[in-house]
Amino acid sequence: MRLTGTEIRICGKVQGVGLRPFVWQLACQLGLRGCVFNDGAGVIIRLAGSATALLAKLKADCPPLARIDSVETRPWTWRQTPADFRIIETDRSAMTTHIAPDAATCPDCLREINDPNDRRYRYPFNNCTHCGPRLTIIRAMPYDRPATAMNDFPLCANCAREYRNPADRRFHAQPVACPHCGPQIRWRDADGRYAEREAALQAAATALCCGLIVAIKGLGGFHLACDATCEAAVQRLRLRKHRLTKPLAVMLPDTGALSAPVAALLSTPAAPIVLEEKRRLPALCAGIAPGLNQVGVMLPSTPLHHLLIQATGRPLVMTSGNASGRPPALDNDEALADLAGIADGWLIHNRPVLQRMDDSVLQRDGRIVRRARGFVPDALALPPDFLPAPPTLCVGADQKNTLCLLRGRHAVLSQHLGDLNDEAALAQWRQTRNRLCALYDFQPHQAVADAHPGYLSVRLAQESGLPIMRVQHHHAHAAACLAEHGWPSGNGPVIALILDGTGWGDGRLWGGECLKVDYRHYQHLGGLPAVALPGGEQAIRQPWRNLLAQLHAWVPGWQQLPEASGLLTQPWQPLLNACERGINSPLASSCGRLFDAIAAALGCAPAQLSYEGEAACLLQALAERSGPVAHPVTLALCDGKLDLAGFWHQWLNWRAEPGARAWAFHDALARGLAQLARYHARRCALDTVVCTGGVMHNSLLRLRLARWLGDLRCLFPAQLPAGDGAIAFGQAVIAAAHFSLLQDKS
């Protein structure tokens, strides 16, 4: 007897998040008959009869890690009436569904590892459907245990019973394990001594409490840890890692001292690093974030980290586990080799890490600075009026690289991969590309790369052998921000302020631009005047070179200024001769280099930077410590152009405290750029301004820009980085827009 029923297709982040057992429980409660299963596109539910009641409950309350993007229903005819409701085996068809990111330890699993009566008491790999590793252990899709790093750990009878029981929260939790059948930790010190299991944990905790440096294998690679309250330990770590001043992230035992917004962000399943005011954490030593007002804090995100911080009872530095110039180590042998001479001991385990995954970083207001663990590989939707795009590989930028897979109406942006500055980084890029393409059964038809003629990422696109589309750097910045806000293509163009270090413009380097953009086109309207970069790449690392170039360009007789005293000790005359002759001194309208020049003038920037953006970060911190001040400094708009000569004259002649002058610079720059945007918005009859580029991570500048742009609609990045971490997504959006245009014409 045939029976007409209903088939429901659910798409989104719906596999590996407990959706099938949740549906099973709902169906049993409602007395429904049928089945539920995974396929390559998501989850399919087949019911005998109406789906109305189940859909209502499903939309009202679904598992915490799930995200339902769409629900489609259609009639389904049963060949035989089902007797009950069942979860059936996965349909292994082509993969189009979304993969869930790794998720921090849930409250239930945390309670178990602290319960002496629980069989997973003090087990460092406890997890369930609502938490634990996902992308970092996946080999293939659909997401089933044989296709993960857990395939090497056969389930014991108790774990198998939980795994097969739809009523258990570990039903089909692929990393499920216990002390009898799962991965185990091991300790090794620099002298080759070993310890296992609980003894390994205690050895690591003792080493940390004694001021030693410990390499810890986590979900996405290794961290280097030390006591964050011990100045000697922190300085030892800095010296060994050659990380002299770059801020270090700190793992806290709890959120007790933190502001409510930061505590809320830390407590999400993503468990990111969040920037918090340093004054709230007086126990941290001065060497954690020298010269800055904020420090990156995180909570334990795995049972291993929970147990370790409970055993030490103190905040711990958790910084990337890599030797200088190399990507973080992934496997035990690599860590033992690369981190010899840095670590005093290694807390390792035998579960493979298949995907490197850095910690995500958020600002206090939730804006993403670095998008990685906890957010990747969540798919990003294209704007609503885009047509489905063909498979396209977007290779991103050379710094803060991410890559992006575009297909249909979604794009998958990879985790932060860092700077493509050596063969190890390039090899890791290729590995990530290959893994993501394999997981998504992704076969690109074309590649998209930056327009810069010298980018290494362009070489990666050329390796693919695919047709290559080139996209201008700042256009990609603007498109990524527009798409993040769901700006429909039909809404037309906007004004865009794109502020960064440098990116290839129309024949020269840009970095402080005002554009008119839509998804397919850009028009340069103006921006900061171009100034030489004395010594080329050296100017990015030595802020004083940018002060020299700015003063030479705009301030006659600059040698008499007190701000120039430091320049006179440098080889300034040969550099200026080279600039005048155009030797290794390209012109760039760079906002980032203007920040460097101001920081050098105020004496808050080192002669040689130890990390990218250091001068700008120190300048922002100096300005914030001063707070708002009345000042006479302007960056005036003259005949549609910004007047840097007038700005420097006013700023240099205002003899105020360094903090006040730093704040005045931020305010004057924001006001001048806002005037520029308003001027062109009026001329173009537009009312929306996109503000993006790496400089927009500066929260003070962002606030002043929003203030001076007033009643214009302002779009700032939030769920994607303002910097180059979003370039690959911007490339994808532009490629999809051009495809939509071609389809419209056909």
Side-chain angles (χ1 to χ4, degrees):
M1 175 182 175
R2 291 178 177 267
L3 174 69
T4 300
T6 307
E7 181 179 89
I8 307 166
R9 171 169 290 285
I10 304 175
C11 295
K13 189 166 61 177
V14 293
Q15 291 191 17
V17 293
L19 188 65
R20 288 181 301 160
F22 178 72
V23 168
W24 177 84
Q25 291 168 14
L26 286 181
C28 292
Q29 291 170 14
L30 296 169
L32 300 175
R33 294 170 294 160
C35 64
V36 60
F37 60 93
N38 288 339
D39 73 352
V43 169
I44 291 179
I45 306 168
R46 289 173 181 161
L47 297 174
S50 171
T52 304
L54 184 140
L55 285 176
K57 287 184 174 290
L58 182 63
K59 292 176 181 178
D61 184 22
C62 67
L65 299 183
R67 189 194 71 236
I68 296 175
D69 292 338
S70 65
V71 177
E72 298 177 0
T73 62
R74 67 184 183 94
W76 174 260
T77 302
W78 292 90
R79 295 176 181 269
Q80 184 175 353
T81 304
D84 53 15
F85 193 91
R86 296 184 180 183
I87 299 174
I88 61 177
E89 288 298 313
T90 297
D91 175 10
R92 298 182 179 276
S93 53
M95 170 66 187
T96 60
T97 193
H98 306 316
I99 302 168
D102 298 82
T105 308
C106 71
D108 287 333
C109 285
L110 181 58
R111 185 177 61 252
E112 288 171 346
I113 66 170
N114 287 311
D115 180 359
N117 297 315
D118 194 279
R119 71 187 190 91
R120 291 186 173 88
Y121 177 56
R122 300 191 64 76
Y123 182 55
F125 301 93
N126 194 22
N127 66 86
C128 69
T129 307
H130 306 311
C131 68
R134 297 292 192 277
L135 180 61
T136 51
I137 64 167
I138 292 175
R139 284 195 172 96
M141 287 295 285
Y143 176 58
D144 288 327
R145 192 178 181 95
T148 74
M150 295 301 295
N151 188 47
D152 298 332
F153 303 95
L155 292 170
C156 67
N158 287 330
C159 286
R161 203 161 31 246
E162 294 168 332
Y163 182 84
R164 291 193 295 265
N165 181 5
D168 195 287
R169 80 173 201 280
R170 291 189 170 88
F171 176 76
H172 279 213
Q174 307 307 338
V176 66
C178 76
H180 300 292
C181 65
Q184 299 293 343
I185 58 173
R186 192 182 199 195
W187 167 260
R188 173 177 162 170
D189 68 17
D191 295 324
R193 290 186 291 263
Y194 286 92
E196 307 283 345
R197 302 199 179 200
E198 182 64 23
L201 182 72
Q202 294 305 322
T206 299
L208 290 166
C209 292
C210 291
L212 301 182
I213 298 165
V214 175
I216 302 168
K217 188 177 183 181
L219 281 182
F222 277 78
H223 284 112
L224 286 165
C226 71
D227 183 350
T229 67
C230 176
E231 187 70 38
V234 169
Q235 293 306 326
R236 192 179 304 116
L237 174 59
R238 287 193 176 282
L239 184 64
R240 291 181 183 180
K241 201 182 174 194
H242 306 291
R243 184 172 178 166
L244 299 182
T245 58
K246 189 174 183 179
L248 300 167
V250 175
M251 182 173 287
L252 302 174
D254 54 53
T255 61
L258 305 178
S259 61
V262 170
L265 291 168
L266 290 173
S267 302
T268 62
I273 296 171
V274 183
L275 301 180
E276 176 60 291
E277 296 298 325
K278 196 159 51 173
R279 59 182 172 80
R280 289 183 172 272
L281 301 160
L284 300 184
C285 66
I288 293 295
L292 304 180
N293 302 333
Q294 297 181 324
V295 60
V297 296
M298 65 177 104
L299 292 179
S301 59
T302 72
L304 176 59
H305 290 98
H306 277 285
L307 292 169
L308 193 60
I309 209 159
Q310 288 171 11
T312 58
R314 65 196 66 192
L316 299 174
V317 167
M318 287 284 170
T319 189
S320 55
N322 63 298
S324 180
R326 289 187 57 80
L330 289 186
D331 64 46
N332 298 336
D333 291 340
E334 187 179 23
L336 289 167
D338 286 0
L339 304 181
I342 301 177
D344 298 304
W346 289 257
L347 186 59
I348 59 180
H349 59 74
N350 58 343
R351 184 177 67 193
V353 175
L354 301 183
Q355 279 284 334
R356 172 193 156 196
M357 193 66 63
D358 290 321
D359 300 305
S360 293
V361 180
L362 276 62
Q363 294 186 335
R364 296 176 75 247
D365 60 1
R367 295 180 189 275
I368 291 180
V369 177
R370 184 171 74 195
R371 187 175 181 271
R373 180 180 53 77
F375 295 95
V376 173
D378 277 351
L380 304 167
L382 297 180
D385 55 350
F386 276 44
L387 296 175
T392 302
L393 170 66
C394 304
V395 300
D398 274 19
Q399 291 188 316
K400 299 178 179 61
N401 180 270
T402 59
L403 63 91
C404 188
L405 309 183
L406 166 68
R407 180 170 59 188
R409 298 181 184 275
H410 288 87
V412 173
L413 189 64
S414 79
Q415 68 271 32
H416 168 86
L417 297 172
D419 298 345
L420 305 178
N421 53 8
D422 65 15
E423 285 303 318
L426 292 174
Q428 197 162 69
W429 189 96
R430 295 183 184 100
Q431 180 187 49
T432 300
R433 175 201 58 196
N434 294 343
R435 179 61 56 83
L436 287 177
C437 286
L439 288 176
Y440 286 95
D441 190 23
F442 184 86
Q443 298 177 342
H445 296 179
Q446 64 176 342
V448 185
D450 197 277
H452 195 296
Y455 264 12
L456 288 169
S457 53
V458 175
R459 191 175 90 195
L460 294 170
Q462 292 168 341
E463 285 178 5
S464 69
L466 298 167
I468 299 175
M469 175 182 179
R470 303 294 286 270
V471 168
Q472 199 276 329
H473 189 86
H474 299 89
H475 189 199
H477 269 308
C481 186
L482 277 176
E484 177 192 330
H485 287 274
W487 184 265
S489 179
N491 280 13
V494 300
I495 300 297
L497 290 173
I498 317 294
L499 312 178
D500 60 6
T502 56
W504 190 251
D506 291 340
R508 65 174 176 85
L509 295 172
W510 287 354
E513 316 308 318
C514 182
L515 309 177
K516 176 184 176 182
V517 299
D518 58 26
Y519 289 120
R520 300 185 186 100
H521 311 97
Y522 70 92
Q523 177 186 354
H524 191 265
L525 303 175
L528 292 172
V531 176
L533 297 179
E537 290 290 318
Q538 280 290 90
I540 298 174
R541 293 183 285 271
Q542 297 180 336
W544 63 266
R545 292 174 181 260
N546 300 293
L547 176 59
L548 175 66
Q550 291 281 338
L551 294 181
H552 179 67
W554 310 115
V555 185
W558 59 268
Q559 293 90 338
Q560 310 306 315
L561 295 169
E563 289 84 358
S565 59
L567 296 180
L568 301 180
T569 66
Q570 302 287 352
W572 63 274
Q573 290 173 315
L575 278 175
L576 291 185
N577 290 337
C579 288
E580 290 170 358
R581 296 169 62 186
I583 299 172
N584 195 25
S585 52
L587 293 175
S589 50
S590 169
C591 191
R593 302 293 77 79
L594 179 59
F595 269 81
D596 289 351
I598 295 292
L602 290 175
C604 69
Q608 177 89 19
L609 299 183
S610 68
Y611 62 92
E612 184 191 1
E614 181 179 10
C617 291
L618 293 170
L619 183 65
Q620 178 187 345
L622 181 64
E624 289 173 337
R625 287 195 291 271
S626 168
V629 294
H631 62 87
V633 184
T634 63
L635 178 57
L637 190 64
C638 300
D639 298 324
K641 298 180 181 179
L642 292 170
D643 178 18
L644 270 180
F647 160 78
W648 278 105
H649 176 78
Q650 293 176 5
W651 189 81
L652 289 167
N653 283 284
W654 186 50
R655 310 314 300 179
E657 292 298 317
R661 298 177 78 193
W663 197 93
F665 163 70
H666 282 81
D667 186 55
L669 177 63
R671 189 174 188 179
L673 290 167
Q675 287 178 323
L676 179 66
R678 282 184 169 281
Y679 171 78
H680 288 294
R682 285 194 300 270
R683 292 185 67 199
C684 300
L686 300 174
D687 63 0
T688 301
V689 181
V690 164
C691 302
T692 188
V695 174
M696 290 298 175
H697 285 309
N698 183 315
S699 56
L700 175 57
L701 180 68
R702 194 169 62 239
L703 289 171
R704 299 313 294 166
L705 260 176
R707 157 74 174 81
W708 290 116
L709 284 168
D711 58 346
L712 288 175
R713 182 182 182 188
C714 300
L715 303 180
F716 293 94
Q719 298 308 305
L720 293 173
D724 284 3
I727 287 292
F729 179 59
Q731 293 171 345
V733 171
I734 291 169
H738 280 280
F739 178 78
S740 291
L741 177 64
L742 292 174
Q743 292 299 104
D744 287 341
K745 289 181 177 179
S746 62

